[in-house]
Amino acid sequence: MIIEPRMRGFICLTSHPTGCEQNVKNQIEYVKSKGAINGAKKVLVIGASTGFGLASRISSAFGSDAATIGVFFEKPPTAGKTASPGWYNSAAFEKEAKNAGLYAKSVNGDAFSNEVKQQTLDLIKADLGQVDMVIYSLASPVRMHPTTGVLHRSVLKPIGSTFTNKTVDFHTGKVSEISIEPCGGDDIENTVAVMGGEDWAMWIDALKAENLLAPGATTVAYSYIGPSLTEAVYRKGTIGRAKDHLEATAFSITDSLADIQGKAYVSVNKALVTQASSAIPVIPLYISLLYKIMKEEGIHEGCIEQIQRLYQDRLFSGAAVPTDEKGRIRIDDLEMRADVQEKIGKLWLEATTENLAELGDLEGYRSDFHNLFGFGFDGVDYKADTDEMVNVESIA
C-alpha cells in the first residue's frame, strides 16, 4: 500500500514502516559515531518503543553492546492498516541488533499489569539471569491499577486557578489564547496514580524479589521541569504533582536497593516533540521558540542526543553521577540556560500568527512531529508500494 500521513488533531493515524526503520538507523549511526560507552551490559527498558525509551535502548545496545529487553504497548499491523510507530521502531531495532550480533527481545502489553511484569521477569530469568540497568520511560494517559482494579486517568490541569496563555496549532501556525480550568475532585490523585512513581517501584520490587537485579544495578526514570512560562499548567499543575511523586520514589527505591549497592535516579530531560507534548496547550509554542534559539546557539538536541549524553557524560563517565540539590540528574541544562530562557521570554511576548514562522521554528516542530510516525526522512521513497505487515521478530 502507499502510506501517507493522515492527521486527526494532535495524532497521526498512520505510520510508515520504512520511515520508522530509517529513524532507528539514524539514531544508531549517531550513537556509534560518538564512540563506545562503558555502560550496563544487560538492560531492561520499560517503555522502549518511542522517544526517550527507544533512545535509551539504542544507546545501551549500540553504545555499550548491551543485551536489551524492551517492554511496550503497541498496536501491530493488520492487512491494509498500519501498526503504531512504536511497533515499527521495535521491529527495526531488533533487526539491527540481530545484524550486530546483539541480544534483543521484546514484550508487548500493558506494563502496568502483573501479567506483563511476570512475563518480563520470566524472560530475564531464562535468557539474561539478571539485569544491571532498568530504564523506566512509560508515557500513558491511563493506568489500570493491578491491585485495586481501578482505572485511573491522568489530566493536565492547573491547580487552584484557571490558566490562560498563548498556544499554537502547529498544523496551521495559528497563535491563540487558551484557558484551562483548574483540576477538581480526584484529578491530582488519579494523575499521580498514572504518572507518579508507584509502578516504577513495583517493577523494581518485583525484579529484586526474584533476584533479577545484579549487584550495583542502576535504575533511571525520566522527568521534566520546564520554564516558568509553562509551570502553572505543567510543573505546578497535576502533572507536576505526579513528577514530584516520581522524583521522591527514586529515594525510596535507592533505600530498597541498599543491600545490593543499587541506585535509582531521575533524569530531568529537555522539552521535545512527542505525541504527548503535542497535545499539551502552550508547549508547542514554547518548543518552537526553544528549537529556534537552541539551533542558532548550536546546542539543540533530540532524544538520541540527549540520552547518549546522559549515558556518556553522566551515568557512565567513570566519575560520581552529578545531581542537583534534589538528587536529580539535569540533562535539561542546555534548555534551562539563563540566556536561552531570557530569549524565549522576549519572543513569547512578541509571537503572533503572522510572525511565528520568523520568530520560531514551527517547520522544525512539524518535521519532528512527522518523524515520530516515520514520515519526512531522506532516502525513503514515500510513493513506493510498502508492505505494512512488518513483524517484531521476538514477538511474532
Side-chain angles (χ1 to χ4, degrees):
M1 58 189 287
I2 308 297
I3 303 171
E4 297 178 331
R6 285 198 298 117
M7 299 293 172
R8 187 172 69 196
F10 299 110
I11 61 170
C12 183
L13 302 176
T14 52
S15 59
H16 201 287
T18 312
C20 289
E21 183 175 20
Q22 189 61 53
N23 183 17
V24 169
K25 286 180 175 179
N26 290 350
Q27 292 188 53
I28 289 170
E29 287 309 309
Y30 176 80
V31 169
K32 289 164 69 173
S33 76
K34 302 298 283 186
I37 300 168
N38 186 26
K41 296 300 184 184
K42 297 178 181 180
V43 179
L44 169 63
V45 183
I46 303 159
S49 54
T50 61
F52 288 121
L54 175 63
S56 301
R57 195 175 191 189
I58 289 170
S59 295
S60 292
F62 293 92
S64 303
D65 290 333
T68 63
I69 291 175
V71 181
F72 46 78
F73 200 6
E74 298 292 348
K75 183 187 70 173
T78 54
K81 194 168 185 180
T82 63
S84 53
W87 179 271
Y88 292 139
N89 291 340
S90 301
F93 173 83
E94 284 200 9
K95 177 181 171 183
E96 294 300 315
K98 183 179 180 181
N99 289 343
L102 298 170
Y103 172 98
K105 288 189 179 179
S106 304
V107 176
N108 190 36
D110 179 5
F112 294 131
S113 71
N114 291 330
E115 292 76 17
V116 165
K117 286 183 175 69
Q118 193 57 55
Q119 185 182 347
T120 307
L121 268 53
D122 291 344
L123 182 59
I124 294 170
K125 202 177 301 181
D127 288 6
L128 301 182
Q130 292 180 320
V131 292
D132 44 9
M133 186 161 76
V134 179
I135 297 293
Y136 188 85
S137 185
L138 280 191
S140 171
V142 297
R143 176 188 178 209
M144 176 73 77
H145 197 285
T147 305
T148 66
V150 173
L151 183 67
H152 298 280
R153 295 185 184 278
S154 65
V155 298
L156 188 132
K157 293 183 179 180
I159 296 172
S161 59
T162 301
F163 173 75
T164 301
N165 212 321
K166 290 180 180 178
T167 192
V168 65
D169 181 328
F170 64 88
H171 294 303
T172 66
K174 182 181 178 182
V175 176
S176 61
E177 191 171 84
I178 190 168
S179 291
I180 307 171
E181 294 300 312
C183 64
D186 297 330
D187 284 346
I188 294 174
E189 291 81 358
N190 280 315
T191 303
V192 171
V194 177
M195 303 183 73
E198 184 185 33
D199 185 65
W200 181 25
M202 284 179 164
W203 270 99
I204 299 303
D205 288 346
L207 289 160
K208 188 167 185 283
E210 298 203 26
N211 194 31
L212 300 179
L213 294 175
T218 299
T219 182
V220 183
Y222 296 137
S223 187
Y224 181 66
I225 294 175
S228 57
L229 272 171
T230 64
E231 68 179 10
V233 73
Y234 198 92
R235 193 66 204 200
K236 289 187 177 177
T238 52
I239 286 188
R241 291 291 181 88
K243 297 302 186 186
D244 289 344
H245 187 275
L246 181 78
E247 292 166 14
T249 301
F251 292 100
S252 59
I253 290 176
T254 293
D255 289 344
S256 75
L257 298 181
D259 59 331
I260 62 166
Q261 291 79 52
K263 184 80 176 175
Y265 295 100
V266 164
S267 174
V268 179
N269 301 349
K270 73 167 279 201
L272 287 168
V273 178
T274 65
Q275 291 182 63
S277 68
S278 298
I280 302 174
V282 183
I283 297 290
L285 178 57
Y286 169 74
I287 290 178
S288 69
L289 298 174
L290 175 72
Y291 273 26
K292 175 88 168 187
I293 291 162
M294 293 189 78
K295 287 176 181 179
E296 287 176 350
E297 294 287 333
I299 56 172
H300 176 68
E301 293 174 316
C303 285
I304 195 64
E305 291 86 1
Q306 274 266 287
I307 300 304
Q308 193 279 336
R309 184 162 69 94
L310 170 68
Y311 278 30
Q312 192 163 62
D313 294 354
R314 302 291 201 272
L315 290 172
F316 304 115
S317 69
V321 177
T323 57
D324 68 6
E325 73 283 355
K326 294 188 176 180
R328 304 170 297 200
I329 301 171
R330 299 299 297 268
I331 207 74
D332 66 339
D333 50 344
L334 301 179
E335 173 189 355
M336 298 308 295
R337 260 176 34 180
D339 61 321
V340 171
Q341 289 301 317
E342 185 179 347
K343 289 176 183 176
I344 292 174
K346 290 178 181 175
L347 293 177
W348 185 273
L349 297 175
E350 301 171 19
T352 64
T353 303
E354 291 70 31
N355 65 20
L356 183 58
E358 179 186 346
L359 295 185
D361 184 24
L362 204 53
E363 276 308 307
Y365 190 105
R366 290 187 187 119
S367 175
D368 277 13
F369 183 80
H370 281 86
N371 287 173
L372 294 174
F373 301 90
F375 297 105
F377 286 101
D378 292 338
V380 177
D381 183 358
Y382 289 100
K383 298 191 185 316
D385 195 23
T386 302
D387 183 8
E388 74 279 15
M389 298 301 290
V390 175
N391 288 323
V392 179
E393 185 174 316
S394 69
I395 295 173

